[in-house]
Amino acid sequence: MQPVLRIAHRAGPGGVRVVEVLGEADMDTTGQLQVALRKAVAARPAPVAVVVDCSGLEFCAAAGLNALLRGREAALEAGVAFRLAAPRRQMRQLLRPTETDRVFTVDRARPAAVAAADGSGAAANGAPRANGRPHRAGAPTAGSPGAAAAVRRW
């Protein structure tokens, strides 16, 4: 059976671009994911942040992780914050041993920008990151006015 990956883009509040990823990110679907992330970063008007909603990502292989890392790199080069939101257990288990949980900003639950964009109201503002470490005190969140500047500073 061919892996399926569905991706939806939408504008969130405060200049946030939400990329919802559903299905499996592996060698067969990484090209699709890379294109979607590049489009999100290059969207007009320019986003302040790109939030990848991983709550529907059932499986993420190393190739999918690589696509996310490339998306993050493109976002940082463009001065755009990049976050992963609500990764499932399998993805969290991939992030930990590869230590990419230290590279990505990871929100355990869907943050306000994601919930507001889809109207679910299932926000978790200020939720700890999936790696268990709290966000830096005073660190801007995706969609806050200082988010883009913070990316350049950190």
Side-chain angles (χ1 to χ4, degrees), residues 45-100:
V48 171
V50 171
V51 178
V52 182
D53 179 0
C54 300
S55 62
L57 188 59
E58 297 168 9
F59 176 77
C60 186
L65 178 59
N66 190 34
L68 290 168
L69 286 165
R70 288 174 187 250
R72 177 187 174 274
E73 184 176 297
L76 294 178
E77 287 174 5
V80 176
F82 190 90
R83 305 173 74 85
L84 301 179
R88 291 182 176 195
R89 182 175 184 220
Q90 183 273 327
M91 185 167 183
R92 290 191 312 267
Q93 289 176 334
L94 176 64
L95 294 172
R96 265 185 240 119
T98 60
E99 295 187 358
T100 50

Side-chain angles (χ1 to χ4, degrees), residues 9 27 32 39 55 59 62-63 66 74 84 89 107 114 129 134 137 152:
H9 288 251
M27 282 181 30
Q32 182 184 352
K39 284 182 180 179
S55 62
F59 176 77
N66 190 34
L84 301 179
R89 182 175 184 220
D107 295 307
V114 175
R129 297 186 321 178
R152 287 188 284 280

